[in-house]
Amino acid sequence: MPSFHNGAVEIAYLDEGEGDPIVLVHGFASSKNVNWVYPTWVSDLRKDGRRVIALDNRGHGDSAKLYDSAAYEIATMASDVIALLDHLEIERADIMGYSLGSRMTAILAREQPQRLRSAILGGIGIGLIEGGGPGENVAIALEAPSLEDVTDPVGRTFRAFADQTRSDRRALAACLRGSRRLMTTEEAAGIGVPVLIAVGTKDEIAGSAAALGKIIPGSEVLDIPNRDHMRAVGDKVYKVGVTDFLSRRQ
C-alpha cells in the first residue's frame, strides 16, 4: 500500500483508475477499505471512468497513530488531503467525504476552493454547524476495558464498530477529542464550490441535510431513504446520486 508523509505523519492511500480524479475521505473509526473499498465505491467510480484516490486518515487504518488530541484538529486533518493532492501532483479534484471526512471536506471547500472541483458531503447535515456527532461519551466508550463495560448506546455503537475494524482505540479517542471544532454558519455560507449533501433519512447523527442545504449556496440535497448513519454508506441511491452529480460537473 503506498504512503507519503505530511510533515512527520505517514499517510497511507490508494490510487486506482484513470480519468478525472476524485478523493475519498472516510469517516471516524473507519478506513479507506471499510468506507470505500468494501462497499464497492472504488470499483464503481473506476467503472464510471474516474481516477479514485482514498486515504486512511491519521489515526486510522494503515496511517500513523497519534495520541495527542492536538494532532487531530480538523484543519490539520484536512491538510493531509491537500498534501496528498500535492504528492500526486493533482491540481484540482472532486472530494467526497463521509461524516468526519465530510467535516474535513467542508473545511477544504471553504479554505481552499481552488483545489476542489466539487465537494460531496456524505453523512453530515446541520451537524456540521450545530454538533450532533459523537461526543465525549464515545471517547469514554473507546477507552473502556471492553464493550461489556459500555452502557451508553451511542458509545456502544462506535465501540463495537472500532472493535470490528480492529482500530487503535486510544488513537481514535484522541482524534475524537481533537476534531470537534464545528463550522460556523458564516463559514458554511461562504462555501462557493458545487456541493452535494447526502444523508440517510434515518440518520440521527448527521442532522438535517435540508437545513444545511439552506445555508450552503447552490447546494443540492440527496435523501438516502430508510438508511441510518452506518447503513447509508453503500446504498444504491447514494451511488446513483453521486454519479449523476459528478456527471454534471464537467
Side-chain angles (χ1 to χ4, degrees):
M1 183 62 62
S3 67
F4 73 103
H5 283 81
N6 184 15
V9 180
E10 185 174 15
I11 302 293
Y13 70 95
L14 63 80
D15 180 4
E16 301 180 6
E18 298 178 354
D20 289 335
I22 181 169
V23 180
L24 310 179
V25 190
H26 67 75
F28 176 72
S30 191
S31 69
K32 61 185 181 305
N33 288 336
V34 171
N35 216 143
W36 307 119
V37 176
Y38 302 154
T40 71
W41 271 106
V42 173
S43 58
D44 290 344
L45 288 167
R46 285 186 62 182
K47 290 175 185 175
D48 195 42
R50 301 187 183 279
R51 178 182 177 183
V52 185
I53 301 151
L55 74 160
D56 279 332
N57 292 331
R58 54 177 61 202
H60 296 72
D62 295 321
S63 290
K65 308 304 186 293
L66 310 167
Y67 304 105
D68 179 356
S69 60
Y72 294 99
E73 203 281 324
I74 194 74
T76 302
M77 294 190 71
S79 75
D80 292 334
V81 180
I82 296 299
L84 176 55
L85 289 177
D86 290 344
H87 173 71
L88 297 175
E89 298 182 342
I90 295 173
E91 184 177 348
R92 291 176 76 234
D94 297 293
I95 301 183
M96 175 163 65
Y98 196 84
S99 197
L100 172 62
S102 289
R103 294 180 184 273
M104 295 161 61
T105 301
I107 289 285
L108 297 178
R110 175 68 175 83
E111 302 297 333
Q112 302 210 44
Q114 73 280 4
R115 304 302 297 270
L116 277 71
R117 186 166 164 263
S118 71
I120 300 168
L121 307 181
I124 196 72
I126 198 63
L128 179 71
I129 297 168
E130 297 179 356
E136 181 64 18
N137 55 326
V138 173
I140 292 171
L142 290 166
E143 293 173 330
S146 71
L147 178 62
E148 287 67 34
D149 295 298
V150 181
T151 57
D152 178 81
V154 177
R156 282 186 65 86
T157 297
F158 278 93
R159 172 57 186 264
F161 186 56
D163 287 346
Q164 178 187 346
T165 56
R166 299 180 182 179
S167 298
D168 185 322
R169 293 183 287 102
R170 191 159 65 94
L172 291 184
C175 174
L176 180 57
R177 292 185 172 117
S179 62
R180 283 179 175 164
R181 182 172 72 85
L182 301 176
M183 182 171 275
T184 68
T185 300
E186 291 74 22
E187 286 172 335
I191 293 175
V193 304
V195 172
L196 176 67
I197 303 164
V199 176
T201 59
K202 293 187 176 180
D203 189 336
E204 297 181 354
I205 293 175
S208 168
L212 182 62
K214 292 176 181 177
I215 294 170
I216 299 178
S219 58
E220 300 179 27
V221 172
L222 173 65
D223 292 322
I224 306 169
N226 301 313
R227 296 295 193 187
D228 62 18
H229 196 69
M230 298 296 185
R231 295 174 62 240
V233 176
D235 188 88
K236 182 179 180 180
V237 172
Y238 184 14
K239 290 181 177 179
V240 170
V242 167
T243 300
D244 172 66
F245 176 75
L246 291 172
S247 74
R248 293 182 279 110
R249 303 273 67 78
Q250 304 300 333

